[in-house]
Amino acid sequence: PRTVLMLGSPGAGKTATAYHLLEGHTNGSLWNDQFLFSLFILFREINLFEPDEKITFKDIVFNAFGPAIEDKERVWRYLEKHQEKLIIILDGYDELSHQVARPFSDVNQATSPDILLGNLIKGHILPRSRLLITSRIHSVKTLQSDVHRTIELAGLTPEDLKELIQKKLSPQLAEQLLTYISSNENVTSLCAIP
């Protein structure tokens, strides 16, 4: 699928999972047969731009790559030619300002960042690239028609929590901690968050 949406409650581990996937690709243990490049774009960083500030899509891409790239035009041409080998992780869709994304595909023309990213999601920019978008559940109504697969991070089940605690602690300490967790409803609910 071109666009995968990862949903979850606050603290469920969406960003941590996205970083883990990015790290897996970077160190060669994940997706190497599928992707040559991975980009990580945080919507909260995009929101740091002033409301009337305009940037190009290339600015967003090269900001995500970092300052080490010298021949940006050459890299951009390669990305365009091999965009099916590019995965872009967009973290925090719920933090986007959600301006109406009029169709826009000129990666050299400056406009508002949310219009650029909205058009990336809609497939007007880099249409053969793959996207992984993270979001809180309440913010995705406008996104559903552009998503090909949705997954939800549910957090830890009681069985997962028990297994994790028993792996990390001595049997006696694990039993004490599990007893405490099960006797306190507030702590129990917090333990669902990885």
Side-chain angles (χ1 to χ4, degrees):
R2 178 182 187 266
T3 305
V4 175
L5 175 62
M6 182 189 314
L7 296 174
S9 299
K14 300 174 299 293
T15 298
T17 300
Y19 272 125
H20 178 76
L21 294 172
L22 178 69
E23 182 182 327
H25 181 255
T26 302
N27 72 23
S29 64
L30 183 66
W31 296 330
N32 282 349
D33 58 333
Q34 291 180 281
F35 304 112
L36 294 174
F37 303 101
S38 53
L39 289 176
F40 195 91
I41 298 172
L42 290 160
F43 282 113
R44 80 176 64 106
E45 286 182 6
I46 298 300
N47 282 338
L48 296 177
F49 289 96
E50 294 297 323
D52 58 346
E53 192 171 351
K54 299 193 181 329
I55 61 171
T56 69
F57 185 73
K58 285 182 182 179
D59 293 333
I60 293 174
V61 167
F62 290 116
N63 183 54
F65 269 132
I69 296 178
E70 293 178 18
D71 189 350
K72 292 179 178 178
E73 279 308 310
R74 183 171 168 228
V75 170
W76 181 258
R77 285 191 305 274
Y78 191 85
L79 283 176
E80 273 193 316
K81 184 176 181 181
H82 301 284
Q83 54 186 282
E84 66 281 349
K85 294 288 188 179
L86 170 65
I87 182 158
I88 303 172
I89 300 171
L90 301 168
D91 183 54
Y93 178 80
D94 49 288
E95 298 179 50
L96 186 64
S97 67
H98 302 289
Q99 285 189 22
V100 176
R102 58 180 167 73
F104 187 91
S105 60
D106 186 346
V107 296
N108 294 305
Q109 185 177 345
T111 189
S112 68
D114 51 342
I115 288 177
L116 293 170
L117 292 171
N119 277 283
L120 171 68
I121 292 167
K122 292 202 167 292
H124 299 296
I125 296 173
L126 296 176
R128 295 187 325 274
S129 64
R130 304 290 175 88
L131 306 177
L132 172 63
I133 303 168
T134 70
S135 181
R136 292 180 179 179
I137 294 168
H138 65 80
S139 301
V140 296
K141 289 180 183 169
T142 60
L143 188 59
Q144 291 296 342
S145 63
D146 300 309
V147 171
H148 302 103
R149 183 165 296 149
T150 301
I151 57 175
E152 185 173 343
L153 293 183
L156 297 174
T157 65
E159 294 81 23
D160 295 334
L161 180 63
K162 182 177 180 180
E163 181 182 335
L164 178 67
I165 289 172
Q166 288 174 337
K167 275 185 185 177
K168 300 291 182 183
L169 301 176
S170 69
Q172 182 182 359
L173 195 53
E175 186 59 37
Q176 288 175 337
L177 182 57
L178 288 169
T179 301
Y180 174 73
I181 290 170
S182 65
S183 68
N184 187 323
E185 190 176 319
N186 289 333
V187 174
T188 301
S189 66
L190 286 174
C191 289
I193 300 171

